[in-house]
């Protein structure tokens, strides 16, 4: 059998040079994954497990071609999430192959798999050095690519000199890769940059353009961390900019100037004319963008300078050429450059022709990325004359098209931008607040309550809560700051909203602010005919609920006591009297509702009293009593004594904490014990999950946790006596409430809810160029002429604040707290170059090797020496104790001469060992370990 397997392997090895192989290749693996993925997830999982098992079997062979194919398949499966670190040593074996195709597979897998394992990187270092010294320049380039990805602090220190030598290689391909690999070494080993800085600068004089471009890439990246070290070489960079005609090389120099100009403002006078000339001369869009980006982000524009204003105008004119094409990429890049310029000079959005039209076109662009970017600066467009048009354009973006829907994140951004535009400068741009209320109502209808006929999906609860909270907060601000608009908010928005059941289902957060406004400014609510109609219906529903509750709580087999029966009859009598006031109302709907319910209620009253009004008259003729002043004067003064004014959001921070305020000392400490709260009532055997409204704390226990005893009962009585006179402890009566139901029936639904929903959705419209007015006019199909809307004169209350301090600083502090730095996993870590000083002397403590990383060789040799010394001393002490015991036993048997001879023999051994060791130092520790038997030699442990 063994001979057959041997012959079989030989046959396979002979067939491979002819392209005949029986192992699965990478193409077979990919085809298998595609075919099994169409079947089921279980089938794909079984296929992948089988493929990994086959790769493990193939890695046990001695054939490097088979191993390389197995490693290649594992590298592909690693992208599916399978770990391949278990085969790192097989990868290293493939890397050491003499064939380039196999070596390339090994380096590819090493780049994916090597995760800074110190044992593995020790072996990999030798392989790197071997490949770097190869005669084949392709293998050198392969090794440089692997080093740039796998490099660690210790590896960078070992490989630094070998990579540095390749900077003088005859091939530009190797020199380019070497300078790029040196950048990764600098990040891990900053001392290399300090020692070889002049060598990097010298690479700028290379004869090959690609090497110079790679060098500028490295310098540009290093300048982002510390641009000061390159200030002295500005003339050299400038000469390259003037001499070269390579656009990509010019772009790298412009990015370098962008970093250097922030620390050296004087260079602006020299390079700005050259950059402007280059921007006007070139036809490449990428170079034009980089020129504008260098000018803007390099802080070369000053708001107070007239020359810089002309430069900014010139940049905007160049940017406008980007929007004349239909390329979305150029549009997006031009919009980014335009935003950067307008953030410095926002006045140009109206002064330069075509800028405002371009931004409006970007807002309506079907590309969501461009639309979101345009939202960042659309507030610069807003003035008192055009705020209606801008807001209308934003609202139209909330309407879904036939083939697409509006993303929830975009709805949220548009809503926030509309509110930000309206609230600028304390509502100074709002021409008519009734129009603004209609806009907010449109936001609710388009985002939270879209019509079922539109192509919209249900909004998520999280987004609905955010939008509802923002809109509700804005309504609250309006009601607080603008007193003249409170009546419109209540009658046009809140009354319809609280009657709409969809709001309760979709965005109940909105009702929290609406109820607050309703309670705070209820006096502004107008009692129109529609409200009276709803009120009549609500009163009858309320009486129906009262009758149902009386029937549930106080009836026994359908019969009432005389007292409760008379109460229901009296409520019915008072309701009939109230409805008699509306039977002759001028509004037909109110009259019809009142009369229809009156006839039914009168029949009900006659059925209850049988025509005997004695009980009703008796209750009615009782002496009238006036309400106490606590209810008529004191209670309203809690809410209406002072006017509620808007308060600045940062005012609370400016209130200093009193020095004598002690928040640590308890006001009234009471030492409760656990057994005081444990009830011992043996009759309660259940744990009540649902508590009644008036649940007794004492008579209804939570559970029997211990057996009853006289001591616990006594402590319980003492606690009740102690808390009886406590004004902050609420006691309840011991009346029997067992018949009281824990759940009440819901109120009847409003019969006119459908009409209220339609009214809420249809009253506010988007299509309004001017604020709404009571008389409605027909729309004209002719071209619209811009007419300035008449501005309402309203009083906007200023926010109250506390003197001292700056609100802006508080706001910035709030924003800085809320924003948390998020680490980009794709960004190269360059933290080792922080606070890098080119002129400082490299010390072991400052080097990157002392960064306490778990995968580095962080062995403390001094600590290891101490541990070895202590272990050797302890071992010697134990052996000495054993020898002393043996000597005491041998004293009786041995004579004195033999003892002295043995001692002399030991002294001779020590003298002989001391000659071998040499002169002893104070810091060295010498330990002599004597053998138990005379045949074995004594050993000495030396620890330095």
């Amino acid at each position: 059998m063994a001979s057959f397997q041997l012959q079989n392997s030989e046959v396979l090895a002979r067939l491979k040079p002819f392209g005949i192989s029986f192992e699965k290749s990478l193409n077979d693996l990919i085809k298998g994954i595609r075919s099994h993925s169409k079947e089921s997830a279980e089938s794909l999982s079984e296929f992948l497990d089988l493929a990994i098992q086959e790769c493990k079997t193939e890695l046990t062979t001695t054939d490097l071609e088979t191993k390389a194919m197995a490693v290649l398949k594992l590298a592909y499966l690693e992208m599916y999430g399978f770990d391949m670190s278990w085969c790192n040593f097989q990868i290293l074996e493939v890397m050491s192959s003499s064939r380039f195709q196999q070596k390339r597979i090994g380096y590819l897998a090493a780049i994916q798999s090597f995760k800074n394992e110190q044992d593995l990187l020790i072996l990999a270092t030798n392989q790197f050095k071997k490949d770097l010294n190869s005669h084949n320049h392709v293998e050198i380039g392969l090794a440089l690519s692997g080093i740039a990805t796998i490099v660690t602090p210790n590896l960078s220190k070992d490989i630094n000199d070998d990579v540095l030598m390749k900077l003088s290689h005859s091939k530009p391909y190797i020199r380019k890769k070497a300078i790029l690999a040196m950048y990764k070494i600098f990040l891990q080993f900053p001392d290399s940059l300090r020692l070889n800085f002049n060598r990097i600068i010298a690479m700028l004089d290379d004869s090959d353009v690609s090497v110079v471009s790679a060098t500028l890439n490295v310098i540009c990246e290093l300048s982002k961390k510390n641009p000061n070290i390159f200030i002295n070489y500005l003339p050299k960079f400038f000469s390259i900019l003037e001499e070269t005609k390579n656009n990509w090389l010019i772009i790298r120099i412009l990015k370098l100037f962008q970093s250097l100009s922030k620390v050296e403002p004087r260079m602006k006078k020299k390079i700005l004319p050259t950059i402007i000339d280059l921007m006007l001369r070139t036809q490449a869009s990428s170079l034009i963008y980089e020129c504008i980006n260098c000018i803007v982000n390099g802080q070369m524009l000053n708001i107070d300078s007239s020359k810089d204003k002309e430069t900014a105008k010139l940049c905007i004119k160049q940017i406008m050429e980007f929007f004349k094409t239909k390329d979305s990429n150029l549009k997006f890049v031009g919009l980014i450059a335009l935003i950067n310029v307008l953030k410095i000079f926002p006045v140009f959005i109206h002064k330069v022709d075509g800028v405002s039209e371009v931004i409006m076109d970007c807002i309506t662009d079907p590309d969501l990325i461009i639309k979101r970017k345009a939202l960042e600066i659309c507030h610069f467009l807003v003035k008192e004359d055009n705020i209606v048009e801008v807001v209308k354009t934003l609202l139209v973006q909330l309407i879904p098209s036939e083939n697409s829907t509006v993303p929830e994140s975009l709805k949220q951004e548009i809503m926030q931008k509309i509110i930000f535009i309206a609230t600028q400068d304390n509502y100074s741009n709002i021409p008519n607040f009734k129009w603004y209320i209609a806009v907010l109502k449109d936001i609710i209808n388009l985002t939270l309550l879209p019509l079922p006929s539109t192509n919209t999906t249900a909004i998520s609860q999280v987004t609905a809560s955010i939008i509802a909270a923002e809109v509700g907060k804005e309504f609250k601000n309006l009601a607080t700051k603008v007193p003249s608009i409170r009546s419109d908010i209540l009658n046009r928005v809140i009354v319809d909203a609280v009657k709409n059941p969809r709001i309760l289902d979709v965005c109940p957060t909105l009702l929290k602010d609406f109820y607050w406004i309703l309670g705070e400014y209820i006096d502004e609510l107008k009692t129109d005919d529609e409200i009276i109609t709803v009120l009549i219906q609500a009163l009858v529903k309320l009486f129906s609920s009262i009758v149902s509750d009386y029937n549930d709580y106080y009836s026994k087999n359908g019969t009432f006591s005389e007292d409760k029966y008379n109460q229901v009859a009296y409520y019915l009598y008072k309701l009939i009297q109230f409805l008699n006031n509306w039977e002759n109302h001028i509004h037909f709907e109110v009259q019809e509702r009142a009369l229809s319910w009156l006839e039914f209620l009168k029949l009900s009253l006659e059925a209850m009293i049988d025509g005997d009004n004695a009980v009703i008259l008796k209750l009615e003729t009782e002496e009238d009593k006036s309400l106490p002043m606590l209810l008529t004067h004191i209670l309203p003064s809690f809410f209406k004594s002072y006017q509620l004014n808007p308060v600045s959001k940062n005012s609370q921070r400016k209130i200093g904490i009193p020095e004598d305020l002690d928040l640590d000392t308890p006001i009234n400490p009471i030492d409760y014990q656990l057994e005081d709260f444990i009830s011992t009532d043996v009759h309660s055997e259940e744990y009540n999950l649902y508590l009644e409204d008036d649940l007794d704390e004492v008579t209804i226990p939570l559970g029997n946790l211990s057996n009853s005893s006289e001591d616990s009962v006594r402590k319980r009585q003492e606690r009740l006596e102690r808390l009886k006179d406590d004004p902050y402890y609420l006691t309840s009566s011991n009346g029997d409430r067992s018949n009281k139901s824990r759940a009440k029936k819901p109120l009847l639904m409003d019969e006119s809810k459908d009409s209220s929903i339609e009214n809420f959705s249809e009253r506010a419209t988007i299509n309004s160029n001017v604020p709404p007015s009571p008389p409605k006019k027909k729309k004209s199909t002719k071209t619209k002429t811009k007419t300035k809307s008449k501005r309402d004169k309203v009083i906007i209350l200023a926010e109250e604040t506390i003197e001292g301090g700056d609100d802006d600083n508080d706001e910035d502090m709030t924003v800085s707290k809320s924003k948390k730095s998020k680490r980009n996993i794709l960004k190269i870590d360059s933290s080792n170059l922080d606070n890098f000083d080119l002129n400082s002397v490299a010390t072991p403590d400052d080097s990157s090797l002392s960064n306490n990383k778990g995968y580095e060789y962080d062995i403390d040799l001094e600590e290891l020496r101490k541990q070895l010394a202590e272990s050797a001393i302890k071992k010697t002490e134990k052996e000495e104790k054993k020898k002393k015991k043996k000597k005491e036993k041998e004293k009786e048997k041995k004579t004195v001469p033999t003892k002295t001879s043995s001692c002399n023999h030991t002294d001779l051994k020590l003298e002989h060992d001391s000659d071998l060791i040499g002169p002893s130092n104070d810091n060295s520790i010498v330990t002599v370990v004597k053998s138990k038997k005379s045949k074995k030699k004594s050993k000495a442990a030396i620890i330095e």
Side-chain angles (χ1 to χ4, degrees), residues 63 91 116 135 273 296 402 615 634 715 836 841 918 925 936:
D63 185 20
I91 293 172
N116 301 322
H135 297 289
V296 176
E402 296 180 357
V615 177
I634 304 300
K715 290 183 177 180
F836 176 77
V841 181
I925 301 173
K936 294 183 179 180

Side-chain angles (χ1 to χ4, degrees), residues 836-889:
F836 176 77
D837 188 6
L838 188 64
N839 298 322
S840 63
V841 181
T843 59
D845 294 337
D846 296 334
S847 65
S848 62
L849 297 178
S850 61
N851 52 4
N852 296 327
K853 293 184 179 179
Y855 53 80
E856 290 303 320
Y857 316 126
D858 50 355
I859 301 174
D860 191 353
L861 295 179
E862 295 296 330
E863 186 66 24
L864 184 61
R865 289 190 183 109
K866 290 180 181 179
Q867 292 177 2
L868 290 174
E870 291 176 357
S871 62
I873 292 172
K874 289 180 181 179
K875 187 176 180 181
T876 306
E877 290 177 354
K878 289 181 181 180
E879 292 179 354
E880 287 179 354
K881 289 181 180 179
K882 291 180 181 179
K883 288 180 180 180
K884 285 182 180 180
K885 291 181 181 180
K886 288 183 179 181
K887 286 180 181 180
E888 290 177 356
K889 292 179 181 179

Side-chain angles (χ1 to χ4, degrees), residues 7-25:
Q7 292 176 1
N8 189 19
S9 61
E10 291 178 355
V11 170
L12 293 177
R14 291 175 181 176
L15 291 176
K16 280 182 180 179
F18 300 98
I20 302 174
S21 176
F22 293 95
E23 288 88 8
K24 288 183 179 179
S25 63

